[in-house]
Amino acid sequence: TKTISKCYVQVTGMTCASCVANIERNLRREDGIHSILVALMAGKAEVRYNPAVIHPSTIAELIRELGFGATIMENCEEGDGILELVVRGMTCASCVHKIESTLMKTNGVLYCSVALATNKAHIKYDPEVIGPRDVIQVIKDLGFSTSLVKKDRSASHLDHKQEIRQWKRSFVVSLVFCVPVMGLMIYMMVMDSQLADARAHHNMTSEEMEALHSSMVLEYQLLPGLSVMNFLSFLLCVPVQMFGGWHFYIQAYRALKHKTANMDVLIVLATSIAFLYSFVILLVAMAEKAKVNPVTFFDTPPMLFVFISLGRWLEHVAKGKTSEALARLISLQATEATIVTLGPDNVLLSEEQVDVELVQRGDIVKVIPGGKFPVDGRVIEGHSMVDESLITGEAMPVTKKPGNTVIAGSINQNGSLLISATHVGADTTLSQIVKLVEEAQTSKAPIQQFADKLSGYFVPCIVAVSVVTLFAWIIIGFVDFEIIEKYFLVRKSISEAEVIIRFAFQASITVLCIACPCSLGLA
């Protein structure tokens, strides 16, 4: 008996099915090569050869001569099939042992573990020697009933509908309350600039200024220290902080729990501090019954939330688009296959319906007109037209006759075909495409990794800078009060220390709030 070895070759430069046919046809002619199977999407060739006659490096050389890139894959474990089963009827540890020991003795089973508590069996096998149906049969013969662990074919993990809804809601809430806040803010700016002009042209005293200031509608005090403007801003800000910022708070809490700082932490820090600071200042002003209205930051949180929730919403919509395409691809896969047993002269002896996962390499599968091909394979008998537009985009049906290859997921049109399965399970073209797209989605662009790394340092730095700002201004203020006096309208009614602390606080909050949209740049 001659020994047959198996090697895997990574093949690059294949563009279409004719490349695959070309490689297979040419290599089959060579001495010592027993069989060859090429998977286009995976870019992988599986060659069974006689090591006495030919060496793997020679095989790779032969493929190179045909104009493709080829390298031998060293430790290729991908040849192992993995089977997850639910086993019913086990009562105790001896049942488990019985199943495990019997399977391990079975030729072709490489590894097997059965869990009594979950009723699950995890089996690795060599698809060359044994297939999933044989394994299931062995377990059935022992007197247990088995079924496949149902894979989630709906691809629900790719569904972004809920996130899209949640961010859209968040955005709309923030927007509804943000518009009036911005309106108020712009109105105040316009009025302030008019005041500045008035002061420039007429040399008013500060008492006259304050009189003019408080004559404005929005500066009208409802209660001492509480102006219409601040009251309205406060009312508009609360719902945004509660509903618009809800998800940010949850995310930030989770991040801090794991001792990391992310974008959400910054956003929450800036908005919360701006909100609380403004709120406290209002309370202080009301307690003091201040004549002049304090400067508040109620405009910050709504605007931040609007921009960021809009960004998140758009991001999830984009993700949803690619995922939708993936989910559609996954849904193209057939769920069942009809396996037939052939007698001499291709006479049909029997046929049975099985789950697609149970189709083994080398099985003969019957595909009726209008049916989907469950696996990649080669036609043995029958003539038909096949719609392969899902892979090739070619709208015209393609003729298939014995010897032609067929692709899983494509649709058989008019004739009945018998095909021999060449690629099953995760090796089919469709599964490979799904895997490629999934990998492309999960792998990060280098710039994105860089941004993530930066934002790890970014948050603590900004917080540190704003704390430094706070203390720096407090020190400057106590050393040289004139500097602050120049920048800050000093009110006669409050003490020097309070002016300094208010100003310092205002400066440090500003740093936080401004750095926060800067994280938008990172995003």
Side-chain angles (χ1 to χ4, degrees):
T1 60
K2 56 175 187 174
T3 54
I4 296 284
S5 299
K6 186 163 82 171
C7 71
Y8 288 91
V9 187
Q10 185 80 50
V11 185
T12 54
M14 296 190 291
T15 50
C16 62
S18 67
C19 301
V20 173
N22 185 10
I23 295 176
E24 290 187 353
R25 194 176 58 242
N26 283 297
L27 283 196
R28 276 210 192 89
R29 298 186 189 137
E30 298 295 330
D31 266 354
I33 289 186
H34 196 262
S35 72
I36 172 164
L37 207 71
V38 182
L40 176 65
M41 293 307 298
K44 200 166 77 181
E46 177 187 308
V47 187
R48 298 174 72 195
Y49 62 98
N50 181 355
V53 182
I54 194 167
H55 192 260
S57 55
T58 325
I59 297 173
E61 192 48 51
L62 288 170
I63 298 176
R64 278 194 214 103
E65 279 170 13
L66 293 171
F68 303 98
T71 45
I72 298 291
M73 295 162 79
E74 292 304 330
N75 44 3
C76 194
E77 290 303 310
E78 286 148 53
D80 297 348
I82 291 176
L83 187 60
E84 297 265 350
L85 296 175
V86 178
V87 183
R88 298 254 173 255
M90 297 190 290
T91 49
C92 60
S94 68
C95 301
V96 172
H97 178 69
K98 193 161 104 189
I99 295 175
E100 285 185 358
S101 58
T102 315
L103 278 176
M104 288 306 284
K105 281 183 210 142
T106 311
N107 189 13
V109 175
L110 307 170
Y111 163 83
C112 159
S113 102
V114 181
L116 180 64
T118 57
N119 284 342
K120 279 194 180 154
H122 182 85
I123 299 142
K124 263 190 183 166
Y125 60 92
D126 180 358
E128 293 286 319
V129 185
I130 194 171
R133 288 205 308 287
D134 309 332
V135 174
I136 288 177
Q137 198 50 52
V138 170
I139 299 176
K140 280 206 178 117
D141 292 346
L142 291 173
F144 303 98
S145 65
T146 65
S147 60
L148 278 172
V149 173
K150 275 279 168 259
K151 280 220 188 91
D152 181 17
R153 282 214 186 80
S154 64
S156 55
H157 62 286
L158 298 172
D159 194 12
H160 289 271
K161 284 197 183 64
Q162 195 214 337
E163 283 111 325
I164 291 175
R165 258 207 317 276
Q166 130 187 341
W167 287 115
K168 185 177 178 179
R169 203 168 47 226
S170 179
F171 169 66
V172 170
V173 168
S174 310
L175 186 67
V176 165
F177 292 103
C178 169
V179 172
V181 171
M182 286 179 75
L184 290 175
M185 199 175 81
I186 291 167
Y187 177 72
M188 285 301 288
M189 281 169 147
V190 172
M191 289 316 243
D192 274 350
S193 66
Q194 284 181 357
L195 278 178
D197 291 350
R199 172 189 273 176
H201 292 138
H202 317 286
N203 303 329
M204 290 186 167
T205 60
S206 55
E207 280 78 17
E208 286 172 333
M209 281 295 303
E210 288 189 3
L212 178 61
H213 218 281
S214 51
S215 67
M216 283 161 58
V217 181
L218 287 177
E219 290 288 337
Y220 173 72
Q221 294 195 337
L222 296 168
L223 295 167
L226 179 66
S227 67
V228 177
M229 164 82 182
N230 282 337
F231 182 62
L232 283 178
S233 302
F234 172 71
L235 282 188
L236 291 167
C237 193
V238 171
V240 175
Q241 203 68 21
M242 304 271 290
F243 303 113
W246 180 244
H247 305 298
F248 293 105
Y249 277 100
I250 295 172
Q251 295 305 95
Y253 169 68
R254 284 183 189 149
L256 288 173
K257 210 164 67 177
H258 295 293
K259 297 192 173 56
T260 60
N262 59 3
M263 286 255 324
D264 299 313
V265 174
L266 249 195
I267 294 163
V268 163
L269 251 181
T271 53
S272 308
I273 293 179
F275 180 73
L276 289 172
Y277 166 77
S278 308
F279 185 53
V280 169
I281 269 199
L282 269 191
L283 292 181
V284 170
M286 285 165 70
E288 286 179 350
K289 299 200 171 2
K291 292 277 181 297
V292 178
N293 300 311
V295 177
T296 55
F297 287 106
F298 285 126
D299 50 357
T300 310
M303 286 170 67
L304 270 185
F305 282 139
V306 163
F307 288 127
I308 292 166
S309 51
L310 173 65
R312 297 272 165 104
W313 176 33
L314 292 176
E315 180 187 349
H316 281 290
V317 167
K319 272 190 194 158
K321 289 273 191 294
T322 26
S323 306
E324 213 171 83
L326 249 192
R328 281 213 197 101
L329 259 185
I330 293 175
S331 68
L332 289 172
Q333 292 170 344
T335 49
E336 291 199 322
T338 311
I339 291 182
V340 297
T341 328
L342 294 183
D345 301 332
N346 288 0
V347 181
L348 280 189
L349 296 181
S350 68
E351 54 178 75
E352 59 165 333
Q353 284 275 6
V354 297
D355 252 2
V356 159
E357 282 95 3
L358 294 181
V359 179
Q360 296 164 197
R361 193 185 279 182
D363 278 343
I364 309 296
V365 181
K366 176 178 158 195
V367 185
I368 55 171
K372 272 183 189 168
F373 289 96
V375 292
D376 290 6
R378 215 172 255 110
V379 180
I380 303 175
E381 194 180 282
H383 285 263
S384 180
M385 305 293 280
V386 174
D387 174 8
E388 290 184 347
S389 58
L390 89 147
I391 300 286
T392 59
E394 172 60 72
M396 295 294 287
V398 187
T399 322
K400 295 289 176 193
K401 53 184 189 293
N404 290 142
T405 50
V406 289
I407 303 171
S410 52
I411 297 163
N412 185 15
Q413 296 203 325
N414 45 19
S416 186
L417 292 177
L418 289 182
I419 64 166
S420 155
T422 53
H423 295 91
V424 296
D427 296 330
T428 61
T429 312
L430 202 54
S431 306
Q432 291 289 339
I433 292 179
V434 170
K435 189 169 140 226
L436 282 173
V437 179
E438 270 182 338
E439 276 172 8
Q441 267 192 308
T442 48
S443 64
K444 285 182 177 172
I447 184 81
Q448 200 176 344
Q449 282 169 343
F450 178 65
D452 285 356
K453 204 161 83 185
L454 267 188
S455 63
Y457 304 121
F458 185 77
V459 179
C461 284
I462 294 302
V463 174
V465 168
S466 75
V467 170
V468 169
T469 311
L470 178 69
F471 287 111
W473 277 113
I474 289 177
I475 293 163
I476 291 172
F478 281 113
V479 173
D480 186 358
F481 186 64
E482 258 105 61
I483 297 179
I484 290 189
E485 216 167 9
K486 207 161 42 184
Y487 290 112
F488 206 63
L489 282 171
V490 180
R491 318 270 153 79
K492 303 281 182 292
S493 55
I494 50 181
S495 67
E496 238 179 65
E498 201 175 333
V499 171
I500 294 169
I501 291 183
R502 276 192 192 183
F503 181 71
F505 223 88
Q506 206 168 324
S508 70
I509 295 270
T510 312
V511 170
L512 258 190
C513 294
I514 287 172
C516 190
C518 175
S519 46
L520 274 178
L522 277 179

